[in-house]
Amino acid sequence: MVHLTARDGAALAWIGEQYAVRADVAAVLLGSLSPPTLHVSRTSRPRASTATLSHRTLRVQLDRWERAGLVLRERLYGRTWIIPTAAGLAFAGLPYPPWRPAWSRLAHVHAVSMVRLALEAEHPDLRERWISERALAWKRRQEAGVWHLPDGAIEVPAPADRPQLEQALLAVEVELTPKSRHNLAEVIKTLTGNTVTVVYFTPVDDVERLQLALAKLVTGRRPPLSVQVQPLPEVAGLAYEGER
């Protein structure tokens, strides 16, 4: 019998919210959820740090989950992916059906996970405020809504000019390839009314082009919308699909 812990539940919830993750992402995630190691030096103050799991430790962890029927390990285009099963999603307290991977989505799903890891490393409290695309899609189905689904969202304080706004959101968009002006316009047009900011993450070579296109689309928009464009963040030990 496999003994499961709160850390297992937290990790499986994170993975399930992101649909699935590559094994190298799981190693970084599990390292971030592990108790910090205290380093003591005679010449400096103690400092705490977390580390990415080694290949061996990760394999032991994944073996545990697989024996418990919580995940599947799939080899997809040269990478090992960790996909929660129905039992794994239920253990994590998630209401979603198991995800079926499609090759055309793998690079994007991985990129969103990397962006989320980078944001959480910079803002540790964000893990409690992140709303995944999967959670937003579930809500949209429950409400029979037609609004645009961002790749993730973060609950933020309501802006000063809209203090009555409930659950103001910062929408996160990850754009690996340039989108047409029509596509961008449709996104801006169909955002939920409580979206106050959109942050686009894109390859560095596309930042300026995207900034110019979005600036034209939000000029004069009512209610006003703040739009930012940032380069895809780096995460130590990880690469985006297509990079090595």
Side-chain angles (χ1 to χ4, degrees):
M1 182 176 180
V2 177
H3 174 67
L4 297 173
T5 67
R7 176 171 171 263
D8 292 318
L12 286 165
W14 200 102
I15 295 170
E17 288 287 4
Q18 301 307 123
Y19 297 104
V21 300
R22 283 184 358 188
D24 51 358
V25 169
V28 175
L29 171 66
L30 286 163
S32 72
L33 292 171
S34 301
T37 302
L38 187 65
H39 297 275
V40 180
S41 168
R42 292 183 179 181
T43 59
S44 62
R45 297 171 60 186
R47 58 184 178 85
S49 66
T50 57
T52 300
L53 265 60
S54 67
H55 292 300
R56 180 178 181 181
T57 303
L58 177 64
R59 186 170 60 250
V60 169
Q61 175 67 65
L62 297 180
D63 286 344
R64 290 177 58 248
W65 286 352
E66 220 168 23
R67 288 199 307 274
L70 301 177
V71 301
L72 298 174
R73 271 181 283 196
E74 297 282 352
R75 193 71 178 170
L76 302 169
Y77 296 91
R79 299 286 189 173
T80 299
W81 283 76
I82 314 305
I83 307 171
T85 62
L89 292 165
F91 176 71
L94 301 178
Y96 318 127
W99 185 62
R100 296 182 178 181
W103 74 268
S104 60
R105 291 206 63 198
L106 293 179
H108 184 76
V109 167
H110 173 64
V112 176
S113 291
M114 279 190 59
V115 168
R116 182 180 176 184
L117 280 175
L119 292 175
E120 289 180 352
E122 188 175 353
H123 308 284
D125 67 316
L126 187 144
R127 183 170 290 158
E128 306 302 322
R129 297 187 291 124
W130 178 270
I131 307 170
S132 69
E133 179 196 40
R134 208 170 190 184
L136 293 167
W138 181 265
K139 180 180 180 181
R140 188 174 70 173
R141 283 194 297 271
Q142 300 298 105
E143 297 177 352
V146 293
W147 34 272
H148 170 72
L149 283 178
D151 296 316
I154 304 165
E155 189 169 353
V156 295
D161 59 343
R162 301 168 69 188
Q164 77 287 352
L165 193 63
E166 294 185 10
Q167 197 186 34
L169 294 181
L170 179 155
V172 173
E173 296 284 357
V174 179
E175 300 290 344
L176 294 178
T177 56
K179 298 297 189 294
S180 68
R181 187 182 185 283
H182 174 77
N183 180 282
L184 293 172
E186 190 64 21
V187 168
I188 298 300
K189 178 182 176 182
T190 57
L191 288 167
T192 59
N194 60 335
T195 302
V196 297
T197 301
V198 184
V199 180
Y200 277 83
F201 292 92
T202 195
V204 64
D205 291 343
D206 293 333
V207 168
E208 185 176 358
R209 179 204 60 81
L210 188 54
Q211 285 174 331
L212 292 172
L214 289 168
K216 294 178 181 178
L217 291 172
V218 300
T219 299
R221 185 183 186 274
R222 291 290 180 271
L225 180 70
S226 171
V227 176
Q228 304 170 27
V229 183
Q230 299 183 20
L232 290 168
E234 295 182 0
V235 179
L238 298 179
Y240 292 93
E241 288 292 321
E243 296 182 353
R244 296 298 177 196

